[in-house]
Amino acid sequence: MLTNELFEVIRTGVLKNLEINLPKDLYYHSVAHTIDVEMQGERIAANEKSIDKEDLVLLKIGCLYHDTGFLFTYNEHEAAGCDLMVKELAAFGLTAKQIDIVNGLIMATKIPQKPLTKLEAIICDADLDYLGREDFFPISNNLFLELKARNLVTTENEWNIIQTSFFKQHSYFTNTTRKLREQQKQLHFEMINAVTTYPVGS
């Protein structure tokens, strides 16, 4: 039985594991990000309606586990997170169907996002909710610092080129997030685009 009490036990364990074991130079993919995604997922689900209690708990579990793969690897972290999730949730007595739903939620956040269900659409929007928020720039800078620490990007202009390219291909999936975040997201794109120097011919 997937009770609120069991969820709290799962939540406490996942967050403690992340707090203790995540690499300290994960400036973006931090415990704070995981908590934010859980919070935004719950908010979006409430506004989308027609999400039953069990699905809501599974959604929140998916949010908690979606970046746990960073405990093991930077690349293909979604699959690594699924491996951890399967082991832990099976031990908590979740059914194969419930675990499969959470697996789908985690994998849906892989870029480019391709959600197949309403719950997957919600977690995708929760994961990138910041794109259309007032705190976009400090959060974006955290991701820049994280990538720079891994030599995946070197200059701010290079980062801006990556960001504008990402903005062009990104779409929100839920009506809730499109209404709340799309306009501000477009403004952020325009602000970055205005200060970016692109290579000749691009």
Side-chain angles (χ1 to χ4, degrees):
M1 182 76 177
L2 192 51
T3 63
N4 287 330
E5 290 76 17
L6 178 58
F7 167 74
E8 290 301 330
V9 172
I10 294 170
R11 183 180 191 275
T12 298
V14 171
L15 293 181
K16 184 176 182 180
N17 190 11
L18 293 174
E19 187 75 50
I20 294 172
N21 296 311
L22 273 181
K24 300 308 177 188
D25 60 358
L26 286 178
Y27 306 111
Y28 172 83
H29 293 102
S30 61
V31 178
H33 169 70
T34 292
I35 293 171
D36 182 63
V37 173
E38 180 199 5
M39 181 174 67
Q40 302 306 333
E42 189 168 15
R43 176 188 56 77
I44 296 168
N47 282 279
E48 287 291 301
K49 312 206 185 305
S50 73
I51 307 296
D52 66 32
K53 289 182 179 180
E54 179 174 308
D55 279 348
L56 179 59
V57 174
L58 291 174
L59 172 67
K60 293 197 293 181
I61 290 173
C63 291
L64 290 169
Y65 275 98
H66 87 285
D67 277 346
T68 54
F70 283 110
L71 292 163
F72 311 102
T73 180
Y74 202 80
N75 298 317
E76 304 297 330
H77 67 271
E78 296 90 358
C82 286
D83 290 342
L84 176 66
M85 176 274 299
V86 169
K87 293 174 186 174
E88 294 190 350
L89 295 191
F92 281 116
L94 272 71
T95 66
K97 181 180 179 181
Q98 290 169 332
I99 290 172
D100 189 56
I101 289 171
V102 177
N103 189 87
L105 290 169
I106 296 170
M107 293 307 299
T109 64
K110 184 179 176 68
I111 304 297
Q113 297 173 330
K114 295 179 181 177
L116 300 176
T117 67
K118 169 67 82 173
L119 290 183
E120 290 176 12
I122 292 171
I123 194 174
C124 285
D125 284 0
D127 194 21
L128 296 175
D129 184 71
Y130 82 100
L131 294 176
R133 285 199 326 232
E134 295 293 336
D135 57 355
F136 166 76
F137 285 104
I139 292 175
S140 167
N141 189 61
N142 284 341
L143 184 52
F144 169 62
L145 294 174
E146 179 175 311
L147 295 175
K148 192 175 181 182
R150 286 159 179 76
N151 298 312
L152 296 173
V153 65
T154 53
T155 67
E156 287 192 28
N157 191 71
E158 182 184 353
W159 172 229
N160 286 339
I161 291 172
I162 292 170
Q163 288 200 100
T164 55
S165 176
F166 184 78
F167 269 102
K168 288 177 183 178
Q169 63 85 33
H170 173 265
S171 297
Y172 284 125
F173 299 99
T174 65
N175 289 331
T176 297
T177 307
R178 281 195 290 262
K179 290 177 182 177
L180 186 63
R181 305 295 190 207
E182 189 61 46
Q183 186 174 1
Q184 187 70 33
K185 188 189 89 170
Q186 183 62 29
L187 180 61
H188 291 149
F189 165 74
E190 292 169 0
M191 293 170 71
I192 297 170
N193 191 48
V195 298
T196 300
T197 302
Y198 295 95
V200 176
S202 65

